Amino acid sequence: MFEFNHFNFNVTDLDKSIQFYREALGLEPISRKEAQDGSFIIQFLGDGLTGFRLELTWLRDHPQKYDLGECEFHLALRSRNYEAAYARHKDMGCICFENPAMGIYFISDPDGYWIEIIPTR
């Protein structure tokens, strides 16, 4: 009865976030909505392979960092070339947690959201 559509992260610097997701994960902008009064911008990013979208929301009246609690939630992406992805993320300095026993690691975006990287198995 239901299928996944999108997941949202609120961000403090939309351009910086778009650049991060493009460089780190190859996600590209696919649609955008801007409030007529300039109070918000919603930018959807996609992977070009699936219909799933990441929604980045910028709110004009929320310039401070978002409280992410204990960061117990995360987005996960599968990589077909895990070793190359790991090397890229290591060079970018965005790896925030590694679990070699499970064969996964996490990167952190400019706002502190965690993204799990899983190898295609």
Side-chain angles (χ1 to χ4, degrees):
M1 290 179 52
F2 300 95
E3 61 186 54
F4 281 108
N5 182 272
H6 72 272
F7 188 78
N8 175 76
F9 285 150
N10 282 13
V11 300
T12 55
D13 184 327
L14 186 58
D15 292 334
K16 185 176 181 179
S17 293
I18 291 169
Q19 180 60 32
F20 172 83
Y21 283 98
R22 177 179 279 137
E23 184 179 342
L25 301 170
L27 302 182
E28 292 291 336
I30 54 175
S31 65
R32 182 179 182 109
K33 178 177 174 121
E34 297 186 33
Q36 287 185 332
D37 65 1
S39 62
F40 71 85
I41 300 172
I42 296 173
Q43 177 69 65
F44 285 98
L45 305 177
D47 60 15
L49 301 170
T50 69
F52 187 81
R53 300 173 299 159
L54 177 61
E55 175 186 341
L56 301 179
T57 300
W58 172 83
L59 302 171
R60 176 188 62 206
D61 298 331
H62 196 287
Q64 69 275 26
K65 289 193 76 64
Y66 285 91
D67 179 358
L68 304 183
E70 296 180 20
C71 273
E72 288 300 321
F73 60 91
H74 63 272
L75 184 64
L77 280 84
R78 190 177 318 274
S79 174
R80 285 178 270 147
N81 191 338
Y82 186 82
E83 291 77 18
Y86 180 87
R88 177 183 334 156
H89 296 146
K90 191 78 162 175
D91 287 346
M92 290 177 67
C94 62
I95 295 176
C96 59
F97 182 77
E98 298 181 52
N99 188 330
M102 291 181 67
I104 62 171
Y105 66 93
F106 290 80
I107 61 174
S108 179
D109 86 348
D111 287 281
Y113 294 105
W114 282 29
I115 298 103
E116 179 179 2
I117 307 300
I118 305 167
T120 299
R121 297 182 173 129

